[in-house]
Amino acid sequence: SLHPLAAPLWRNGENVVFEDGQVRKSAGTQKVATALDTKPVTGIIDTLTDNLPNLVWGDFDALYRYNRDDGVTLERDGYDAGDFLVAFQEGAFQEDAFQYARGRTPTLWSMDNWGEWVIATDGVNTPQIDKMDGSGAADLTGSPPAYAQIVVRIGNYIVFFNTDMGGNFAQWCNTDDVEDYVNGAAGFLPVRDLSSEIIAAERLGAAVGCYSANEMVVFQYIGPPYYFGFSKALSGIGAVGKACVVEQGARHYGVHRQGFWVCDGASYQYISPPLLREWCEVNIDWSNGGKIAGFLNEGRTMIEWGVPIVGGTGNNDTTIRFNYEKATWTFRSYGITAGLAKRIW
């Protein structure tokens, strides 16, 4: 073994970046706003309202909004913390007659823009709409899904994935009407090529890449009379949580138990080196893998993922960073719980 004085300069690339043949400190951060409480942020999006940049974010039971004029405001709170529904078998009162009919707990918020409005869903409650007019967030109307894990806008449609119709279902609104899920072009579609529920869905060019635990399909607009369809699935690639897939150009980067991967919708490749795969298998708290959250840090040509660590807080404790131009890996000593690519701010 090495003499202590001959040890490497660092044990890992924590809080540094490798660029121009040098090792530099990671860039700092700038505080934008202070949350109204200390609960972890579990989803975030920005929107431009009357030429004023706004941030909307959520935690496990509330949605908030920030802009420079109004500061931080509570858009809505008191969201259901999860269902415990009891099913009776033939009316008999016995221990084994009680069972979970639907044991749902809030997951990360999934959010997307509809013009200046924000559509948000947490996997338990009725999807929310915030029209950014000062009235706060409210239940989406027009017979949307009772709940959904993921929301993505595709052109003139809002599409929900993994809904109360089934874990492999997509359900969308009428053309140009986010408050109508019954008439006209509104519809739904099951994805029967997937072996599990849809765990993550992220825009991929004009389409959406949808990931189960071990497959990926492309969901895209095909026009009347069916409006949307799925391509054949790729096998051997999947997602561990709804926020672990990140769009960069015409590619997705994501997290699977087998490692980190890159996918263009037609093929995929695992990119994490063996030592990193071993580190992740031992150190990531996979029981909380659904909380892994990634975002595009385009200024540093990086994808960053906050991950929970074994023996940690149960939330994301550290951040793994991949430079997609230089194919280098580094760490941050703190964990992000939600991230947003630079767009308005």
Side-chain angles (χ1 to χ4, degrees):
S1 62
L2 289 174
H3 186 277
L5 296 180
L9 189 59
W10 58 79
R11 290 183 178 275
N12 55 46
E14 191 172 89
N15 299 324
V16 299
V17 294
F18 301 97
E19 58 184 18
D20 302 325
Q22 302 180 56
V23 181
R24 304 178 188 272
K25 288 184 178 180
S26 295
T29 58
Q30 180 178 353
K31 182 178 177 179
V32 174
T34 300
L36 297 180
D37 56 42
T38 59
K39 288 174 287 189
V41 173
T42 58
I44 189 168
I45 196 168
D46 57 5
T47 186
L48 196 63
T49 305
D50 296 329
N51 293 318
L52 181 66
N54 285 262
L55 285 175
V56 175
W57 70 87
D59 56 34
F60 284 116
D61 62 3
L63 286 171
Y64 307 87
R65 175 185 177 188
Y66 167 81
N67 63 52
R68 294 187 179 96
D69 288 353
D70 302 322
V72 178
T73 57
L74 176 66
E75 297 295 275
R76 190 174 182 184
D77 63 359
Y79 291 113
D80 185 2
D83 286 349
F84 180 77
L85 301 182
V86 179
F88 292 90
Q89 294 177 345
E90 300 177 354
F93 188 82
Q94 51 188 6
E95 283 298 319
D96 61 0
F98 290 89
Q99 54 184 293
Y100 282 108
R102 184 184 299 141
R104 302 195 316 274
T105 55
T107 56
L108 306 185
W109 283 97
S110 173
M111 303 179 177
D112 212 335
N113 300 102
W114 183 259
E116 294 184 351
W117 301 353
V118 170
I119 311 297
T121 187
D122 68 351
V124 167
N125 297 278
T126 302
Q128 300 292 292
I129 183 168
D130 193 331
K131 296 185 178 181
M132 311 303 289
D133 57 5
S135 61
D139 289 354
L140 187 61
T141 60
S143 299
Y147 63 88
Q149 289 290 352
I150 303 158
V151 59
V152 182
R153 180 184 58 80
I154 307 176
N156 300 327
Y157 301 87
I158 280 290
V159 183
F160 292 100
F161 297 94
N162 190 341
T163 74
D164 58 305
M165 296 187 74
N168 65 337
F169 271 75
Q171 188 173 348
W172 59 89
C173 67
N174 195 3
T175 308
D176 286 323
D177 192 350
V178 71
E179 295 175 294
D180 181 3
Y181 293 82
V182 177
N183 302 297
F188 59 88
L189 181 67
V191 190
R192 304 196 188 282
D193 287 343
L194 300 180
S195 61
S196 77
E197 65 182 9
I198 297 171
I199 296 173
E202 188 71 29
R203 264 190 294 273
L204 187 62
V208 174
C210 299
Y211 297 85
S212 68
N214 202 46
E215 295 95 8
M216 181 268 193
V217 297
V218 176
F219 178 85
Q220 54 194 340
Y221 179 78
I222 59 175
Y226 302 110
Y227 293 97
F228 289 96
F230 284 93
S231 68
K232 188 175 180 180
L234 296 174
S235 297
I237 182 176
V240 295
K242 69 169 72 173
C244 78
V245 177
V246 180
E247 180 188 19
Q248 188 277 314
R251 295 171 292 185
H252 281 168
Y253 291 85
V255 186
H256 189 269
R257 282 295 297 262
Q258 296 182 32
F260 293 84
W261 48 258
V262 59
C263 177
D264 62 5
S267 62
Y268 67 90
Q269 177 182 0
Y270 280 93
I271 56 175
S272 44
L275 287 177
L276 179 59
R277 287 200 299 271
E278 292 177 13
W279 185 93
C280 290
E281 186 58 36
V282 172
N283 291 284
I284 290 180
D285 176 9
W286 293 107
S287 67
N288 283 303
K291 297 178 181 178
I292 293 176
F295 78 102
L296 172 64
N297 184 344
E298 196 167 19
R300 287 290 177 181
T301 63
M302 284 186 171
I303 311 294
E304 305 195 21
W305 291 274
V307 299
I309 297 300
V310 173
T313 63
N315 292 303
N316 295 344
D317 303 293
T318 194
T319 300
I320 300 174
R321 315 168 73 199
F322 175 66
N323 187 311
Y324 51 82
E325 287 192 352
K326 299 179 174 63
T328 55
W329 297 85
T330 57
F331 290 79
R332 285 192 188 274
S333 57
Y334 55 85
I336 60 167
T337 58
L340 184 65
K342 183 175 177 61
R343 195 176 56 153
I344 297 173
W345 294 83

